[in-house]
């Protein structure tokens, strides 16, 4: 077994436990690490060794990931011993600003429910025309400006940033500040010092903003929560700042990476791009969004959990206190669930993917992400039909060191 | 077919509304699921089964008759 793994690129330790994460293969930037797929072929769960020497379980298959993510014997509480943090820097961040993504019910449910209504399907659908206007304006500006242009800075980041700023009531004029600090937050190789600074800067910023909203409430989510929850003593101003930070960070980094990496994937699959460009069928566009979510699986650092009790699954026993990592990029390529899983096919029904996770922590912002991506994929390639890379593919810098996968820049022309 | 939802378990993901909009909705108040039709017509049974299988909180129960 260890030889086999060593062959496929994962440095196996003498005890046969492979190191995790594993590198993607050169030249295959959209595919999961080959070693990860070999592990998937071997067993639904295996032990791996991580940065701090600990050996959590890695869950490789779709069925077991879904079962475990929906299992109440599994905890997302980042303060529990055994929780498998991504890196020292990431642990620093998660403990310093513990939002509901790192808590269990009933605490998690109480806080998540306070912010659920604005992300309901109908509420988000009502934002579609405004999102369309934002997308059209950014494309107008891009077409009127010089080329080549970096699609990340000119388009992929501004779309979700403008939307989430509007929703939360964060001044977009501050985007340099929060995007710069977010870049630190989502890089897994930061020194803990740099992480601490970025986290503190963002929290400080949001706390000041919350104080301002409490003094002068407007028609945005931070004001609403300030008035309805903080003033009534249901939530502290600090808790609101932490929730605001989660929404601000999760609300723009993820979607931005889906836009830029998705565009690159489509440029590399011209038949798929052509199918998307030729249609104005909202069903096909919505299906393409699901397929790109599945195919790209950008949140590639694994859903991380710790077992509260012994759990028997996939012929193994996860013991109470064991760390558990669910790697969505392999589950989303599981051939038991998706036919010909390595093919990008915008016509397939990809809705069973776990790109938004599963269980009670499944992405709160998914309706918003979906509408943003539907508007973007349905507009950009039609309005800029000659869109193409302005550099060789080899020169595109991928976020191998990112908590969230994507590209740092995407120089394009048309 | 009989459908029931558990509003305690629901996390407001909206997956059910996307799958079967005539059967499920979300409350304006808190974004939590609202069941519109507990015995939906045959032409949406597939969609309802789909909603139940996509629900991340396992909050939808479908009983086939
Ligand atoms: C394509 C874009 C997105 C992807 C791929 C994505 C992915 C995910 C995933 C995988 C989780 C689960 C984490 C876990 O189980 O540990 C999650 C949770 C979350 N996401 Fe997203 N997300 C996206 C966009 C957004 C947006 C636009 C927002 C907000 C405006 C958002 C807000 C959240 C929040 C608040 C949680 C925590 C939910 C909880 O713990 O209950 N996400 N997201
Ligand atoms: S799919 Fe499940 S969790 Fe999501 S809104 Fe419907 S009932 Fe609630």
């Amino acid at each position: 077994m260890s030889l086999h793994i060593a062959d496929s690129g994962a440095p196996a330790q003498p005890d046969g436990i492979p190191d995790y994460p594993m590198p993607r293969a050169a030249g295959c930037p959209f595919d999961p690490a080959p070693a990860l797929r070999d592990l998937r072929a071997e067993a639904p769960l295996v032990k791996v060794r991580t940065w701090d020497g600990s050996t959590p379980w890695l869950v490789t298959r779709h069925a077991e990931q879904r079962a475990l993510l929906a299992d109440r014997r599994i905890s997302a509480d980042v303060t529990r011993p055994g929780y498998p943090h991504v890196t020292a820097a990431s642990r620093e961040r998660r403990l310093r600003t513990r939002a509901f993504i790192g808590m269990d019910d009933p605490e998690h449910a109480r806080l998540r429910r306070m912010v659920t209504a604005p992300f309901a399907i109908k509420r988000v659908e009502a934002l579609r025309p405004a999102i369309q206007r934002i997308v059209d304006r950014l494309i107008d500006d891009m077409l009127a400006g010089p080329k080549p242009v970096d699609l990340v800075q000119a388009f992929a980041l501004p779309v979700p940033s403008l939307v989430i700023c509007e929703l939360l009531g964060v001044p977009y004029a501050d985007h340099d500040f929060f995007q710069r600090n977010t870049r630190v937050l989502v890089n897994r190789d930061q020194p803990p010092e740099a992480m601490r600074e970025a986290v503190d800067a963002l929290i400080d910023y949001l706390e000041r903003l919350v104080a301002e909203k409490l003094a002068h409430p407007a028609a945005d989510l931070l004001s609403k929560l300030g008035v309805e929850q903080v003033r009534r003593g249901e939530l502290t101003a600090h808790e609101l700042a932490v929730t605001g930070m989660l929404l601000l960070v999760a609300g723009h980094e993820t979607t931005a990476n889906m836009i830029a990496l998705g565009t690159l994937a489509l440029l590399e699959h011209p038949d798929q791009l052509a199918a998307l460009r030729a249609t104005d069928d909202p069903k096909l566009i919505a299906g393409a969004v699901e397929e790109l979510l599945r195919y790209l699986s950008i949140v590639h650092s694994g859903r991380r959990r710790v077992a509260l009790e012994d759990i028997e699954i996939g012929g193994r026993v996860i013991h109470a206190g064991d760390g558990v990592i669910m790697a969505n990029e392999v589950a989303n390529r599981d051939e038991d669930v998706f036919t010909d899983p390595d093919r990008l096919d915008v016509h397939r029904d990809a809705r069973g993917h776990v790109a938004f996770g599963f269980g009670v922590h499944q992405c709160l912002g998914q309706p918003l992400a979906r509408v943003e991506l539907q508007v973007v994929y349905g507009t950009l390639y039609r309005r800029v039909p000659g869109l193409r890379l302005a550099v060789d593919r080899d020169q595109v810098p991928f976020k191998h060191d990112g908590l969230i996968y994507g590209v740092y820049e995407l120089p394009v022309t048309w | 077919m009989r459908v029931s939802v558990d509003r305690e378990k629901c996390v407001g993901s909206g997956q059910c509304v996307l799958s079967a909009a005539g059967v499920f909705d979300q409350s304006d108040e808190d974004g939590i699921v609202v069941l519109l039709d507990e015995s939906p017509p045959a032409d949406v049974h597939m969609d309802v089964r789909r909603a139940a299988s996509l629900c991340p909180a396992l909050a939808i129960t479908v009983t086939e008759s």
Side-chain angles (χ1 to χ4, degrees):
Chain A
M1 177 179 154
S2 59
L3 253 186
H4 175 58
I5 292 166
D7 278 343
S8 55
Q13 304 285 333
D15 56 7
I17 298 181
D19 284 346
Y20 176 86
M22 294 119 176
R24 292 177 195 254
C28 302
F30 305 119
D31 292 338
L36 208 49
R37 324 181 88 175
D38 290 349
L39 291 181
R40 188 212 157 260
E42 269 168 38
L45 51 168
V46 287
K47 285 267 184 170
V48 291
R49 178 167 282 105
T50 61
W51 63 281
D52 61 351
S54 64
T55 54
W57 293 98
L58 178 79
V59 185
T60 59
R61 294 187 194 164
H62 190 273
E64 282 79 6
Q65 287 195 16
R66 261 179 60 118
L68 285 168
L69 285 168
D71 195 316
R72 296 284 169 160
R73 294 169 297 175
I74 282 273
S75 167
D77 182 345
V78 290
T79 64
R80 277 187 186 276
Y83 182 93
H85 287 279
V86 179
T87 56
S90 164
R91 179 178 58 196
E92 180 73 29
R93 162 162 87 102
R94 300 296 303 274
L95 294 179
R96 225 173 163 77
T97 50
R98 188 162 160 251
F100 60 82
I101 192 169
M103 300 177 185
D104 293 334
D105 289 346
E107 249 182 319
H108 160 266
R110 185 180 79 86
L111 293 167
R112 175 165 168 142
R113 282 191 174 207
M114 286 183 193
V115 290
T116 299
F119 295 99
I121 300 295
K122 278 195 297 199
R123 294 277 293 276
V124 171
E125 258 323 307
L127 299 177
R128 190 184 288 267
I131 295 172
Q132 183 71 55
R133 279 195 298 277
I134 287 174
V135 165
D136 279 326
R137 186 169 56 70
L138 287 165
I139 296 176
D140 290 342
D141 291 351
M142 210 169 78
L143 290 173
K147 52 186 180 181
V149 69
D150 174 15
L151 193 77
V152 174
Q153 291 301 327
F155 186 73
L157 258 177
V159 171
S161 294
L162 280 159
V163 173
I164 196 68
C165 280
E166 180 70 30
L167 206 145
L168 287 176
V170 171
Y172 184 70
D174 296 336
H175 72 276
D176 277 341
F177 165 80
F178 65 75
Q179 285 171 355
R180 178 163 29 92
N181 285 293
T182 300
R183 263 200 297 284
V184 178
L185 256 58
V186 296
N187 183 302
R188 58 185 174 200
D189 295 341
Q190 289 293 323
E193 286 303 312
M195 182 63 84
R196 199 169 309 147
E197 268 175 40
V199 165
D200 289 353
L202 276 167
I203 278 297
D204 182 57
Y205 172 77
L206 277 148
E207 281 181 340
R208 276 184 288 131
L209 198 58
V210 165
E212 228 170 84
K213 302 283 177 192
L214 280 167
H216 311 284
D220 53 56
L221 183 57
L222 287 180
S223 297
K224 188 170 156 32
L225 289 169
V227 171
E228 289 178 7
Q229 310 290 347
V230 177
R231 277 197 192 152
R232 285 195 212 143
E234 300 283 334
L235 197 65
T236 66
H238 175 74
E239 282 176 317
L240 178 51
V242 169
T243 298
M245 177 169 149
L246 170 63
L247 294 173
L248 181 63
V249 172
H252 76 269
E253 260 296 315
T254 44
T255 311
N257 282 307
M258 275 303 297
I259 295 173
L261 192 64
T263 298
L264 179 60
L266 288 166
L267 289 172
E268 304 247 314
H269 295 82
D271 54 328
Q272 302 299 308
L273 180 57
L276 205 51
R277 194 184 278 138
T279 188
D280 49 16
D281 175 6
K283 273 221 175 88
L284 176 55
I285 294 169
V289 168
E290 300 308 314
E291 172 63 349
L292 282 154
L293 284 162
R294 178 195 76 85
Y295 184 73
L296 300 171
S297 299
I298 57 166
V299 189
H300 72 159
S301 300
R303 308 290 70 71
R304 309 237 169 181
R305 301 292 190 266
V306 53
L308 296 175
E309 297 172 29
D310 290 0
I311 302 172
E312 236 186 287
I313 187 163
R316 305 281 198 281
V317 179
I318 300 174
H319 289 290
D322 285 356
V324 185
I325 302 174
M326 264 78 55
N328 77 151
E329 67 271 36
V330 271
N332 283 337
R333 301 290 184 97
D334 191 326
E335 63 222 18
D336 293 341
V337 183
F338 305 101
T339 325
D340 201 358
D342 293 328
R343 222 179 78 222
L344 174 67
D345 175 5
V346 296
H347 295 283
R348 85 161 80 222
D349 181 354
R351 286 177 296 172
H353 66 70
V354 285
F356 286 126
F358 198 71
V360 296
H361 290 277
Q362 192 182 61
C363 184
L364 174 70
Q366 57 183 302
L368 183 61
R370 285 192 167 102
V371 170
E372 289 176 335
L373 293 173
Q374 288 164 9
V375 172
V376 164
Y377 296 151
T379 309
L380 180 64
Y381 318 121
R382 284 164 75 91
R383 288 206 51 202
V384 194
L387 190 73
R388 60 181 193 278
L389 268 187
V391 294
D392 279 350
R393 218 249 336 240
D394 306 349
Q395 288 172 282
V396 176
F398 290 93
K399 294 182 174 175
H400 292 294
D401 56 352
L403 280 175
I404 303 166
Y405 192 54
V407 293
Y408 282 107
E409 50 181 81
L410 194 68
V412 293
T413 190
W414 52 87
Chain B
M1 170 187 276
R2 303 285 299 173
V3 185
S4 65
V5 294
D6 185 336
R7 301 193 81 241
E8 284 304 307
K9 281 189 182 167
C10 171
V11 294
S13 72
Q15 301 265 29
C16 54
V17 182
L18 286 181
S19 303
V23 181
F24 305 99
D25 196 1
Q26 286 164 283
S27 133
D28 289 334
E29 194 73 9
D30 57 7
I32 298 304
V33 65
V34 175
L35 185 60
L36 300 176
D37 188 349
E38 37 183 66
S39 47
D43 60 326
V44 298
H45 284 185
M46 285 286 284
D47 297 339
V48 172
R49 282 183 210 114
R50 187 72 190 191
S53 83
L54 288 179
C55 173
L58 313 182
I60 302 172
T61 309
V62 174
T63 319
E64 307 275 353
S65 46

